[in-house]
Amino acid sequence: MGQLTLEHVSKSYGQNHVLEDITLTVDEGEFVSIVGPSGSGKSTIFQLIGGLFPPDSGTISLDGTVLNNRRGHISYMPQSPALFPWRTVVQNVELSAEISGLKPDTQKTLELIRSAGLAGYEDAYPSELSGGMKQRVSFIRSLNAPQSIICLDEPFSALDEFTRLEMQTWLLSIWETYRKSILFITHNIDEALFLSDRIVILSDKPAIVKKEITVPFERPRSEELLLSEPFLTLKKEIYTNLRS
């Protein structure tokens, strides 16, 4: 299972009104991206889903269980890989299971590491990995968590354009194998279109859902899609919505 629902969620910090009546869903096995202007409250949505703060109003639920102000129900991948430098690749991947109080499944861990193209690096430390390799370890650590939904907060923003595209293609191949529900934050329209089933466009704060777009492109997706006419047309529509 893994259906996430936000219903009429609002949030302010003092006089700073960040979110206004946000309603969105991520269905089981779906990949949904959130795009919006800088400071529009995208990361605040993740903080509320993760239970770091309660919403002022509205309900956040996962498979019908209310998550308001409750932690431990999602897996989260931040912008930086956040790997422990004193732990090996295997130990970093197994951390998500350990935190949940589960005994790590070493066979599954090694399978995930191989699927990430990191065979031979099982006992390497983060200082021995490139930026893209660290991001792969961070993502498969999220996949290894028992939670059914993963929240990804601009995980590729620090990578160069070609490494970023390589990581996007890899992420899709892994996601299509394991099919966990994903909610993805990005400023990059190309990235949102290439990865997502649906895109939620936020306004400037206080953020409302301006528009929701169903991405029509079939899977699996290839890099050639990025320069196709339908892709560029939809990119222009999203850009216009963000600018208006």
Side-chain angles (χ1 to χ4, degrees):
M1 301 292 284
Q3 186 187 56
L4 177 72
T5 304
L6 279 72
E7 295 182 287
H8 306 295
V9 169
S10 298
K11 182 65 180 177
S12 297
Y13 298 100
Q15 299 300 312
N16 185 15
H17 193 24
V18 182
L19 303 175
E20 178 62 43
D21 198 32
I22 298 291
T23 294
L24 63 88
T25 61
V26 182
D27 291 328
E28 183 178 355
E30 192 178 26
F31 198 125
V32 176
S33 288
I34 299 175
V35 298
S38 294
S40 60
K42 299 184 293 297
S43 294
T44 298
I45 289 176
F46 274 12
Q47 291 168 355
L48 297 180
I49 294 170
L52 298 180
F53 307 101
D56 296 336
S57 60
T59 303
I60 302 165
S61 59
L62 181 62
D63 298 328
T65 300
V66 176
L67 301 187
N68 292 26
N69 210 27
R70 296 178 62 189
R71 303 185 187 187
H73 293 270
I74 64 162
S75 180
Y76 173 70
M77 179 179 170
Q79 292 182 31
S80 60
L83 303 179
F84 286 159
W86 60 88
R87 295 181 69 123
T88 64
V89 168
V90 167
Q91 291 167 341
N92 268 292
V93 173
E94 290 184 336
L95 181 63
S96 53
E98 292 174 22
I99 289 173
S100 298
L102 302 176
K103 183 179 179 180
D105 183 338
T106 301
Q107 184 176 345
K108 180 186 177 185
T109 299
L110 294 175
E111 182 182 306
L112 282 168
I113 290 170
R114 285 194 295 271
S115 72
L118 295 170
Y121 288 90
E122 292 86 350
D123 297 320
Y125 290 92
S127 61
E128 303 172 71
L129 307 179
S130 68
M133 293 165 77
K134 291 176 185 176
Q135 291 296 82
R136 291 180 188 220
V137 174
S138 184
F139 180 66
I140 60 176
R141 179 178 59 190
S142 300
L143 269 180
N144 200 38
Q147 292 85 357
S148 58
I149 186 161
I150 304 174
C151 290
L152 305 179
D153 190 354
E154 296 193 81
F156 307 140
S157 59
L159 302 177
D160 66 77
E161 185 174 349
F162 293 107
T163 304
R164 185 173 184 149
L165 181 56
E166 178 186 323
M167 288 298 300
Q168 291 165 2
T169 304
W170 171 80
L171 172 60
L172 281 184
S173 69
I174 295 292
W175 171 75
E176 285 167 1
T177 299
Y178 292 92
R179 213 69 178 199
K180 282 198 175 186
S181 308
I182 290 182
L183 186 59
F184 189 94
I185 285 176
T186 181
H187 282 97
N188 189 297
I189 299 173
D190 283 16
E191 184 168 71
L193 279 171
F194 186 59
L195 295 176
S196 308
D197 296 310
R198 285 186 294 118
I199 298 172
V200 176
I201 302 173
L202 298 184
S203 69
D204 204 353
K205 66 180 181 182
I208 62 169
V209 175
K210 289 182 71 174
K211 191 165 187 177
E212 191 174 290
I213 291 177
T214 299
V215 180
F217 310 124
E218 293 184 356
R219 299 185 185 276
R221 295 173 185 169
S222 64
E223 295 176 19
E224 289 74 24
L225 175 65
L226 295 165
L227 296 176
S228 68
E229 194 62 40
F231 187 96
L232 295 173
T233 299
L234 201 49
K235 178 180 178 179
K236 183 177 180 180
E237 178 184 343
I238 295 170
Y239 178 81
T240 302
N241 273 280
L242 285 170
R243 294 284 290 177
S244 62

